[in-house]
Amino acid sequence: MIVIVGGTPLGGEIRASGAKNAALPAILASLLTSEPVVLHNVPRLLDVETAVELIRALGKEARWEGNTLNLWGGEHLAWEAPAELVQRMRASFLVLGPLLARLGRARVPLPGGCALGPRPVDLHLHGLARLGAHLALADGGVFAEAQHLHGACVYLDFPSVGATEQLLFAGALAQGETTVVNPAREPEVADLVELLRKMGAQVIWHTERLTIRGQRELGGAEHTLIPDRIETGTYLLAGAITGGRVRVQSAQPQHLAALGDRLILAGCELEQGEDWLEVRGPVRPKPVDLRTWPYPGFPTDLQPPMVAFLARAEGRSTVTETVYAARFGHVEPLIQMGAKIQVAGSIQVVEGVERLRPAQVEATDIRAGAALVLAALAADGVSFVAAEQHLSRGYEDMLGKLGALGAKVWREEG
Ligand code: EPZ
């Protein structure tokens, strides 16, 4: 349980950690080679530890040195991914592409659904089938076989981050060229492309299509991960919601243009430099309308924290979620804290209130947890947020960073 004494503006400076959603595919990319891969700026998060556990179970060696992760070995990989690990974290499904590319066969359990609504992997499977994989669904998992993966042109009817990454993995060792039409353009995908290029992959990226020319094998590499734009945005919103002044160092401002635009519309002052952003929150936000959208649109992962911020606005905001079918786990707990939110289809209508009230609330996923922490920081009094197991999956040392900004937060058992 996290205890938060809210009501005081945050102030100060923190450093962004490496991006969780760049670290996970980068760790799995090491399955494509048995040569050493060294990753720097890797956040120490539960999901990252799960990814390391997963590749170790498949035959890789891994050793931490602070935030540097050394990966090597895996001359002989197992072709079955342990169900327990894949169920724990959806991104584990990305081992399918590398195992298929290296071994010609793989069995990977289907990822569990989660609080964001149904999360199919049909685009992953469609793409792998186009590259020549034979896929069979049985016992809650996918069994895939491909004597030789061959390049193909794959159209994604949604620019899925995971499906794009899955196809980069499979295409990296396929015979010929694989082109993904309508790929995801998230910075984390671009970071994976950089790593794959350092490993010897030949990738050409135009806006609407991504082409990877298959190699016989890939080599080792050393790579520093990009900073976490969702973590950065979360702390900027923590400064904004409390009417404080927060600077995030080691960030990449250009990754947060959509959030910056809406923060300014809401009455925040925003400054930025080469590798930092600083926000000064208003006494009360102005209402704004927004819709989430694939990058460079407003990131769906910042939708729940943004709704918490708008819950205090002086007027009505509408927030439309276009990426997930149901990303509203934060709504009920925010209403318990005094927010006035109505959900109509994919739209949240937020009638701003002057004050949120402290409460005991529970989160359903990483970003809903972040939204509740932000609301508790703004509420005058003591709140109890049950979100530890979610927050530690996605935010490195969140209590330490909030404490550095002057927040009165601590962990209590129970
Ligand atoms: C990645 O998930 C991120 N996770 C998510 O962050 C993020 O919310 C999401 O991209 C969107 O930006 C990682 O990178 C590890 P998608 P992913 O495939 O790859 C549908 C967080 O909190 N879809 O782009 O699973 C899907 O149902 C997490 O850090 C299909 O229909 O996202 C969803 O509605 C949460 N079929 C939409 O596309 C498919 O085969 C976006 O999914 C695949 C996806």
Side-chain angles (χ1 to χ4, degrees):
M1 184 71 76
I2 297 173
V3 184
I4 298 171
V5 182
T8 47
L10 295 191
E13 190 172 303
I14 51 166
R15 185 187 164 279
S17 298
K20 165 176 84 80
N21 293 347
L24 299 178
I27 290 166
L28 302 182
S30 69
L31 292 168
L32 291 167
T33 180
S34 49
E35 292 187 19
V37 172
V38 180
L39 300 175
H40 299 293
N41 199 31
V42 185
R44 303 299 298 254
L45 294 168
L46 217 49
D47 275 4
V48 170
E49 301 292 353
T50 299
V52 172
E53 209 179 320
L54 176 58
I55 62 168
R56 279 187 175 131
L58 292 169
K60 294 291 295 188
E61 304 284 341
R63 189 185 69 248
W64 285 101
E65 286 172 51
N67 286 97
T68 291
L69 187 56
N70 298 284
L71 305 166
W72 71 97
E75 285 76 9
H76 306 290
L77 293 173
W79 58 279
E80 291 191 274
E84 192 274 326
L85 293 175
V86 178
Q87 296 295 325
R88 200 190 301 172
M89 180 182 68
R90 173 181 166 86
S92 312
F93 192 69
L94 288 173
V95 298
L96 182 58
L99 292 181
L100 199 52
R102 283 282 304 278
L103 308 175
R105 63 177 181 160
R107 184 200 304 281
V108 182
L110 285 168
C114 80
L116 308 180
R119 292 178 74 188
V121 286
D122 54 315
L123 298 176
H124 297 238
L125 302 180
H126 159 71
L128 293 175
R130 296 276 297 112
L131 270 67
H134 301 286
L135 303 159
L137 292 180
D139 311 325
V142 177
F143 175 63
E145 258 188 327
Q147 284 322 312
H148 294 291
L149 285 174
H150 55 71
C153 182
V154 181
Y155 163 68
L156 294 179
D157 59 16
F158 179 86
S160 155
V161 169
T164 305
E165 292 168 344
Q166 191 81 265
L167 289 166
L168 280 168
F169 288 147
L173 298 178
Q175 285 169 352
E177 278 194 355
T178 297
T179 294
V180 181
V181 180
N182 190 27
R185 296 155 60 191
E186 272 67 9
E188 294 76 24
V189 176
D191 206 32
L192 176 63
V193 166
E194 279 317 298
L195 169 59
L196 290 172
R197 280 178 173 146
K198 289 176 182 173
M199 293 170 69
Q202 290 183 22
V203 184
I204 306 151
W205 191 340
H206 307 287
T207 311
E208 84 294 348
R209 57 185 55 218
L210 186 57
T211 297
I212 184 161
R213 191 168 296 138
Q215 308 296 310
R216 281 180 44 71
E217 56 185 16
L218 292 187
E222 185 157 5
H223 183 68
T224 300
L225 299 177
I226 55 169
D228 194 313
R229 62 194 167 100
I230 305 303
E231 182 204 26
T232 300
T234 303
Y235 289 108
L236 292 175
L237 281 162
I241 196 173
T242 58
R245 179 174 181 165
V246 166
R247 175 176 291 209
V248 182
Q249 292 282 14
S250 311
Q252 286 207 5
Q254 70 271 23
H255 291 164
L256 285 161
L259 173 69
D261 175 86
R262 285 307 188 268
L263 286 177
I264 289 166
L265 278 184
C268 296
E269 286 177 40
L270 190 70
E271 279 184 81
Q272 62 189 54
E274 174 75 20
D275 65 349
W276 59 270
L277 293 113
E278 181 171 292
V279 72
R280 187 182 302 194
V283 174
R284 259 191 91 184
K286 296 187 184 72
V288 300
D289 297 332
L290 71 98
R291 67 177 54 231
T292 64
W293 203 256
Y295 191 84
F298 192 97
T300 173
D301 294 344
L302 286 176
Q303 180 260 100
M306 185 70 181
V307 167
F309 171 57
L310 294 174
R312 290 194 55 238
E314 47 194 18
R316 168 183 297 185
S317 306
T318 59
V319 176
T320 306
E321 174 56 57
T322 72
V323 173
Y324 286 107
R327 185 168 211 163
F328 306 120
H330 54 285
V331 171
E332 270 317 305
L334 285 177
I335 290 172
Q336 282 176 252
M337 300 181 78
K340 287 188 173 35
I341 305 170
Q342 282 186 320
V343 179
S346 62
I347 301 174
Q348 295 167 77
V349 180
V350 186
E351 297 289 354
V353 294
E354 178 140 13
R355 289 234 166 283
L356 292 173
R357 57 172 182 266
Q360 176 154 347
V361 288
E362 183 161 2
T364 53
D365 69 270
I366 304 175
R367 311 304 174 181
L372 301 182
V373 168
L374 264 54
L377 288 167
D380 220 344
V382 185
S383 296
F384 301 86
V385 181
E388 189 59 6
Q389 78 279 20
H390 294 298
L391 292 170
S392 51
R393 289 184 56 187
Y395 292 94
E396 188 177 41
D397 187 24
M398 180 179 243
L399 299 192
K401 294 191 180 185
L402 286 174
L405 295 172
K408 298 182 194 67
V409 295
W410 63 91
R411 185 177 295 110
E412 251 174 35
E413 293 315 311

